[in-house]
Amino acid sequence: MARDPEVETGAGFTPAEVGPNWAALPLPAIILDAQGRIAAMNDLAEAFLNLSCRSSLGLALEGPEILKRLRIVPTLGSILDRVREGHDALNRAGVRFEIGDRSGGHTDRFGTIHAGAAPSPAGGIAVLIAPQDGGGRLGNGQAARSAARSAIGMAEMLAHEIKNPLAGIRGAAQLIGMNLAAEDRDLADLIVAESRRIVELLDQVERFGDTSAPRLSAVNVHDVLERVRRSASVGFGRGLRIVPEYDPSLPPALIDADQLVQVCLNLVKNAAEAIQRAGQGGTIRIRSFYDGTLRLAPTEAEPQGRSLPLQIEIEDDGPGIPETIVAEVFEPFVSGRENGTGLGLALVSKIITDHGAWIALDTRPGRTVFRLSLPKA
């Protein structure tokens, strides 16, 4: 990691050290120090907020100097305090950025804030901004892309930073193990094995940033759904009723089969975990049917709108998704589970959007349904 050599640090202030992935983050990003002062800002943040990184370094993001040019509504004080108290990555949707101009007026921009601990400086906080249109929620496709980009950017940055110290830990454990008695060597071997496992997981996180297009082909969706059902029945869904309700007359879908397996496994696993957290047996229904009326809004490329007639629904009779997160459930780092990462549904959204398809959610206590609408081959 490197610090900008041209930046003069004032007393008590040190700019953040940023890794090689910082400039490549696909969303506006800021790092604040422990006092809430701007310690780093990427180019997209400069453009979005109409602030110069060089002139803003060392200034409090919500202090008097920045307030002359930028006002954030609601203020970020409470969410930043929660991060400092040790809470996991947090988010806040519908934040308004009142950006001043030279004529004395201002322009309003909106976004969802994602905040979490930063590796540098000590006590620092990383803030990512997922821009929104107007004052409302993004459309399904744009929300999915924005959510996925935010998740990809943060995940890749963290994966890169974590892998370096892990290599040192693994090497040190191997050296220590060479000089230990046989009965203690197992502990060193365990450290080495677990370090390797974490590196493999981080490699998967970095592959999360793969932006290559899906490999589309004509696929029988029931082949996919049966793979998912069988896998769930003998694994995480054991003890639950997993009921297939298929329309055998469906034509093939134009999809990437492996990616659709990933999507459906994620949704079925979420359903199983929701039922199991409620402490009772339950039922998951995997349904397919045809609806020729559903199509996306017209575009220049497809002036009639894209037809999405093939429907897959994954329904459970669990407690439902909390109202407080339903509107942002496809955003990264939003989870209804205590230790959830909140990345699963963001990735689901990205995959479905990359297919030119659609995902919808209907939830209430006792019934939650995710519907996938797919094009036919």
Side-chain angles (χ1 to χ4, degrees):
M1 295 187 296
R3 184 181 295 126
D4 188 338
E6 298 182 15
V7 172
E8 296 293 335
T9 57
F13 172 76
T14 302
E17 294 182 348
V18 294
N21 291 323
W22 174 252
L25 285 174
L27 289 175
I30 304 169
I31 295 177
L32 306 177
D33 70 3
Q35 287 73 46
R37 296 174 294 190
I38 297 173
M41 182 185 303
N42 69 357
D43 292 345
L44 292 178
E46 290 189 74
F48 183 81
L49 300 175
N50 195 28
L51 291 177
S52 162
C53 178
R54 189 167 298 279
S55 64
S56 300
L57 280 181
L59 299 179
L61 178 62
E62 297 184 296
E65 289 299 317
I66 297 296
L67 282 175
K68 295 175 183 177
R69 293 170 279 170
L70 169 69
R71 184 179 300 272
I72 302 174
V73 182
T75 61
L76 303 183
S78 61
I79 193 171
L80 298 181
D81 286 343
R82 292 187 66 194
V83 174
R84 294 187 186 101
E85 291 166 2
H87 291 269
D88 291 335
L90 301 169
N91 75 91
R92 174 180 292 164
V95 177
R96 184 172 75 251
F97 300 86
E98 300 176 356
I99 301 165
D101 57 36
R102 294 181 179 180
S103 64
H106 72 271
T107 300
D108 287 346
R109 291 177 178 167
F110 297 84
T112 295
I113 290 287
H114 305 283
S120 168
I125 297 175
V127 177
L128 277 75
I129 306 169
Q132 291 177 327
D133 289 336
R137 282 185 50 75
L138 292 164
N140 180 273
Q142 191 176 354
R145 291 187 180 94
S146 177
R149 288 190 190 111
S150 180
I152 289 166
M154 183 69 83
E156 286 187 325
M157 182 173 68
L158 291 176
H160 176 83
E161 300 303 332
I162 292 170
K163 286 170 73 174
N164 290 331
L166 270 176
I169 291 170
R170 187 171 69 248
Q174 288 172 326
L175 290 174
I176 292 172
M178 295 170 62
N179 300 313
L180 290 176
E183 61 270 19
D184 295 324
R185 197 171 298 135
D186 287 345
L187 295 175
D189 291 342
L190 177 63
I191 294 173
V192 173
E194 288 301 291
S195 297
R196 285 176 176 157
R197 186 177 66 85
I198 295 171
V199 169
E200 290 174 359
L201 290 173
L202 293 173
D203 287 339
Q204 294 178 22
V205 169
E206 291 182 319
R207 287 196 293 272
F208 183 69
D210 183 10
T211 57
S212 58
R215 298 176 181 176
L216 301 178
S217 62
V219 174
N220 183 335
V221 296
H222 300 133
D223 292 341
V224 169
L225 297 179
E226 275 300 286
R227 284 175 59 188
V228 171
R229 187 188 66 80
R230 288 195 297 268
S231 176
S233 296
V234 300
F236 56 80
R238 184 178 298 172
L240 302 177
R241 292 180 66 234
I242 303 179
V243 181
E245 298 178 354
Y246 303 153
D247 177 355
S249 67
L250 284 188
L254 185 63
I255 55 172
D256 182 317
D258 289 338
Q259 290 191 3
L260 187 63
V261 168
Q262 184 178 6
V263 165
C264 293
L265 267 176
N266 188 298
L267 295 177
V268 173
K269 186 175 183 181
N270 283 355
E273 290 174 347
I275 293 171
Q276 290 160 354
R277 285 197 304 273
Q280 60 187 31
T283 300
I284 299 172
R285 300 184 184 277
I286 305 177
R287 184 180 302 118
S288 69
F289 60 98
Y290 192 93
D291 182 354
T293 65
L294 186 60
R295 60 180 60 240
L296 294 177
T299 64
E300 289 187 9
E302 295 177 299
Q304 302 301 317
R306 189 173 205 201
S307 177
L308 302 174
L310 307 184
Q311 313 301 315
I312 295 172
E313 288 187 345
I314 295 173
E315 176 183 334
D316 69 76
D317 57 1
I321 296 173
E323 289 186 13
T324 53
I325 66 170
V326 168
E328 288 82 39
V329 74
F330 293 111
E331 297 284 349
F333 316 120
V334 176
S335 176
R337 292 188 289 125
E338 182 177 351
N339 296 315
T341 64
L343 295 179
L345 288 179
L347 181 57
V348 164
S349 293
K350 175 185 181 296
I351 291 173
I352 292 300
T353 303
D354 288 347
H355 278 76
W358 186 266
I359 183 168
L361 167 64
D362 180 22
T363 183
R364 62 177 183 270
R367 184 177 184 268
T368 294
V369 182
F370 283 91
R371 178 192 282 200
L372 309 176
S373 302
L374 308 173
K376 65 180 180 179

